[in-house]
Amino acid sequence: MIRLRFAPSPTGNLHVGGVRTALFNWLFARKNNGKFVLRIEDTDTERSKKEFEDNIIEALKWCNLNWDEGPDINGNYGPYRQSERLELYRKYINLLIEKNMAYYAVYNNDNEEFFVSNTYPENYKEYSIVVKFKVNKKGFTEFNDLLKGNIKFRNDLLDDFIILRSNGIPVYNFTVVIDDHFMNITHVIRGEDHISNTQKQIMLYKAFGWKVPEFMHIPLILGNDKKPLSKRHGGTTVEYFRNEGILSDALMNYLALLGWTVEEEIFNFKDKVSLFTPQKISNKGVVFDYEKLEWMCGKHLRMKKIESLYFEFIEWLDYQKDFSLKNKIEEDKEYSLNVLSICREKVNTLKQLKDFSYNFFIDDFYYEDKFLDKFLKKDWAIDLIKISQEKFENLEEYTVENVENVIRNIADLKITSKKNTFQTIRGIVLGKLVTPGLFESIAILGKEKTLSRFKKAEVFIYEHFRK
């Protein structure tokens, strides 16, 4: 059976480059009816933290990537944290020493190696003692990369390398071989920054007489300066994009297209499992485009069934700990669905949706300065308000058509220009000058909210401009 794994280190929050790697592993496993394994590589004892592991697991779940085995659900090949596998690693380090394929090396305080031994150097306990793998300098180490083709390394250019640190913790290149072998991993898909590690890992596989898995090294995600995507380019973690209100469907859609050729541009990645093949992944670095991601998120946001969007919005507000707005939205679901339906047409993210829809749910909003200066301060504003109050008070049925007729009738009275009439009413009911359609907005607000907002504007004028 084909088995793949995603093996992040819990030394920080999950990077989008890691998510794309997990995605390609997941797609390959699902395409081939295989297994997808989550393993936590936490042997960096100084930097690894449980909070980062929790963040990684939560982020992957939010991205809708499910795994068949892992630290939270176990499986037949656990444990799935490297910190819980130290006894196994030690066993196979000792085996290499017994086979004269590894040895102890002692370093002084200047980090210079000054003594080596095939047995533990009891007389040098006050120094740093490590275990090093003995490199066979003859010939080459080569493998066929599923993406890049044949890759070949000269062995004489590689020095003996450390496999066990002085603190008793084995290094990455050793643990990954042990884990992948005993977890029956058949294919390893990872970033091309790991190509240089592959030589050491294949040497270890051969030293133990184990089958070497298939490797595929994918190009890195780059910033606009063509250097690996990092904090200097902007937000890079799943947590960042989630806070920004990017939909998980949109993020995964965008990450799938960073290097993978699919005919459609907007899709759900789970619908494309049957199309995934290594041959369709680009061998060139791909630039992360924040604006393209936002645009794509807008497409997904408008494609969603409105009820699905409602629940995602509620979930996002909960994640943001904006419980006040969340409660307001949940008070009247039908009203909220109508608001979200007209607001989503002009936004791309949940964060923008919150900003754009906020004044529909909150009555004590502030007026934009631009609205105050250009409209509400004008002498004619109070007359416009009084006429509008009268007209809307007499309106019984708040349909879009009826609201439009009322506003056009008010404009025909020429209290001010038509544009001023429309924009003043817009600012009165929603506090700002860029909103969803004015007629649709008032139809959704309804009689009670609309009239209360005209009253609020009237009071504001007398308190601030006509003292």
Side-chain angles (χ1 to χ4, degrees), residues 15-198:
H15 190 281
V16 288
V19 178
R20 187 187 63 151
T21 298
L23 171 62
F24 287 168
N25 276 279
W26 185 93
L27 286 167
F28 194 91
R30 297 295 180 251
K31 165 71 179 294
N32 293 282
N33 296 314
K35 297 292 185 182
F36 175 60
V37 178
L38 175 63
R39 184 173 74 222
I40 300 297
E41 299 192 339
D42 58 349
T43 54
D44 185 340
T45 54
E46 293 183 2
R47 298 169 60 215
S48 294
K49 294 182 180 179
K50 183 64 165 61
E51 66 190 78
F52 293 137
E53 178 185 323
D54 293 341
N55 173 273
I56 289 168
I57 290 175
E58 181 183 359
L60 289 172
K61 288 180 178 178
W62 180 76
C63 291
N64 293 311
L65 289 172
N66 60 308
W67 45 95
D68 303 295
E69 304 166 27
D72 57 331
I73 57 175
N74 296 318
N76 296 328
Y77 299 91
Y80 294 92
R81 292 183 187 89
Q82 288 188 335
S83 59
E84 299 171 4
R85 300 171 65 84
L86 297 180
E87 187 176 331
L88 178 66
Y89 304 142
R90 187 70 209 203
K91 174 182 176 181
Y92 284 89
I93 284 173
N94 289 338
L95 180 60
L96 289 177
I97 294 172
E98 291 171 9
K99 295 171 65 176
N100 199 30
M101 303 180 84
Y103 58 89
Y104 294 96
V106 184
Y107 285 77
N108 61 26
N109 293 333
D110 294 324
N111 202 32
E112 297 171 334
E113 181 181 299
F114 71 92
F115 183 79
V116 298
S117 172
N118 289 328
T119 58
Y120 187 78
E122 295 283 350
N123 296 331
Y124 295 97
K125 286 184 177 180
E126 68 273 23
Y127 294 99
S128 293
I129 302 173
V130 302
V131 175
K132 299 178 79 173
F133 179 76
K134 191 181 297 184
V135 173
N136 182 348
K137 300 285 189 176
K138 296 179 181 179
F140 299 87
T141 297
E142 60 184 313
F143 68 99
N144 181 59
D145 190 284
L146 294 176
L147 182 60
K148 299 181 180 299
N150 187 259
I151 296 178
K152 193 173 187 179
F153 300 96
R154 284 175 53 182
N155 291 341
D156 62 332
L157 299 179
L158 182 65
D159 294 327
D160 294 353
F161 55 89
I162 294 173
I163 56 175
L164 184 71
R165 301 183 187 94
S166 58
N167 63 0
I169 303 296
V171 302
Y172 163 77
N173 280 316
F174 182 82
T175 58
V176 73
V177 169
I178 301 298
D179 291 341
D180 284 348
H181 172 72
F182 283 102
M183 292 183 182
N184 285 347
I185 300 301
T186 60
H187 294 73
V188 175
I189 300 176
R190 58 190 181 184
E192 63 185 12
D193 53 330
H194 283 285
I195 289 177
S196 59
N197 291 323
T198 311

Side-chain angles (χ1 to χ4, degrees), residues 375-389 415 424 428 454-463 465-466:
F375 301 101
L376 209 58
K377 280 184 178 180
K378 302 301 182 182
D379 292 338
W380 45 258
I382 193 68
D383 294 331
L384 181 63
I385 288 174
K386 289 183 180 297
I387 289 294
S388 298
Q389 285 175 310
I415 299 168
T424 303
I428 286 170
F454 274 109
K455 185 63 179 177
K456 171 186 173 181
E458 180 184 3
V459 171
F460 188 92
I461 287 176
Y462 283 116
E463 288 182 348
F465 305 141
R466 298 197 176 188

